[in-house]
Structure formats: C-alpha cells, structure tokens
Amino acid sequence: MKRSLRIQKLVELSQKKEDTVARLLARQKAKVEQEKQKLEQLQEYASQYESERNLLGLSPYLVTNYQHFVTRLEQAVQQQKGAISQSEHQANQAQQQWLAARAKTKSMDIVRDKHAKQEQKAEDKQEQRQSDEFAMLRFMKSGY
C-alpha cells in the first residue's frame, strides 16, 4: 500500500476527531448563550420587581420580606454570572482543543500531499523510462 494511502487513513481519523471536538465546541457555545439568556431573564425579573415595589405602598413587615426576596434575586444573578463564566471557560477550552485538532489535521494533509506528489513523480519517471525503452527498442528493430 502506498504511503500516501496509509497516511490518508490517519487523516480521516484526525478529521473525525476534529469533527467531534467541533460539535463539542458548538454545544459549549450554545450553553453560554443559554446561560446569558437566563441571566437576562433574571435581571429583567428583578427590574420588574423593583419597579413594582416603588408603585406599592408596603408595610414595614412586607418591606423586610421584600428585601429578603431582592437579596435572593441578587444572589441568583451572581450565581448565574458565575455559571456564564464557567461556561465561557469550558467553551474556550473546547475552542483550544478544536484549534489543536484542526492544526493536526492540516499538518497530516500536508504530509499526505507531499507523499502523493513524491509517489506521482516516481510513477512519472517510471513511465518515462518505459516509454524511452520502448522507443529505443522500436528504433533498434527498425534497423536504425
């Protein structure tokens, strides 16, 4: 089996790995977007709640309960920001894995192409030699 064909098998395996990592990267990016949407929803909810509080006349007891609820909302917002940060970190790691896999596939493509060119050059030389030998035989048979 030609060397370029053996290397082609490695290129295919590398491409499969790259595709797998690319799918992981896409999932991680989608997760980041979902986490950001959750944060926006929480912030919007907190904003609506705050504006409603200003419209209502609350008793001192309800103000305390309200403040506890607002504190919990703020904690939820902070937790969501942490989740976004973690998701972004995971997406960045997946991106680095994909870049490494892509670089490996490209380098293997280059090696495969180099060997294919060398093989083609050798085949061309062989064909030229055979053609030259055939021409020489015809010339010799024709009696010069």
Side-chain angles (χ1 to χ4, degrees):
M1 179 182 265
K2 292 182 179 181
R3 192 170 192 182
S4 63
L5 293 177
R6 289 191 310 256
I7 293 173
Q8 178 60 34
K9 297 290 183 190
L10 296 174
V11 170
E12 290 169 4
L13 289 172
S14 180
Q15 184 65 49
K16 284 181 184 179
K17 169 91 174 167
E18 180 184 339
D19 292 344
T20 300
V21 175
R23 285 190 296 277
L24 171 67
L25 175 58
R27 283 193 306 271
Q28 291 298 334
K29 285 186 174 187
K31 185 177 178 183
V32 168
E33 289 307 311
Q34 289 173 343
E35 297 293 346
K36 286 181 178 181
Q37 287 175 356
K38 287 179 186 177
L39 176 62
E40 286 177 20
Q41 290 171 347
L42 277 171
Q43 289 174 329
E44 185 178 310
Y45 182 64
S47 175
Q48 287 174 353
Y49 203 78
E50 180 66 29
S51 65
E52 287 176 9
R53 183 193 94 172
N54 293 335
L55 295 176
L56 300 173
L58 298 177
S59 69
Y61 172 75
L62 290 178
V63 169
T64 303
N65 284 340
Y66 175 82
Q67 192 55 46
H68 287 297
F69 182 72
V70 169
T71 301
R72 286 191 196 123
L73 267 178
E74 289 171 357
Q75 289 171 347
V77 166
Q78 291 306 314
Q79 286 175 343
Q80 193 58 35
K81 286 179 180 180
I84 290 171
S85 178
Q86 183 179 11
S87 293
E88 287 175 337
H89 177 71
Q90 290 171 344
N92 288 338
Q93 286 180 326
Q95 174 120 21
Q96 294 304 313
Q97 289 174 341
W98 177 78
L99 289 171
R102 182 70 191 128
K104 183 176 180 181
T105 300
K106 280 186 173 187
S107 67
M108 292 178 115
D109 279 338
I110 291 168
V111 170
R112 181 207 51 219
D113 291 346
K114 177 183 168 188
H115 285 291
K117 285 178 185 176
Q118 288 173 347
E119 291 164 357
Q120 186 61 48
K121 192 174 180 181
E123 287 175 17
D124 290 347
K125 279 185 178 181
Q126 179 65 26
E127 286 178 19
Q128 185 62 45
R129 262 188 252 129
Q130 288 174 346
S131 178
D132 290 349
E133 286 177 16
F134 181 71
M136 182 61 90
L137 286 173
R138 281 184 51 193
F139 178 73
M140 301 279 269
K141 282 185 180 179
S142 68
Y144 298 85

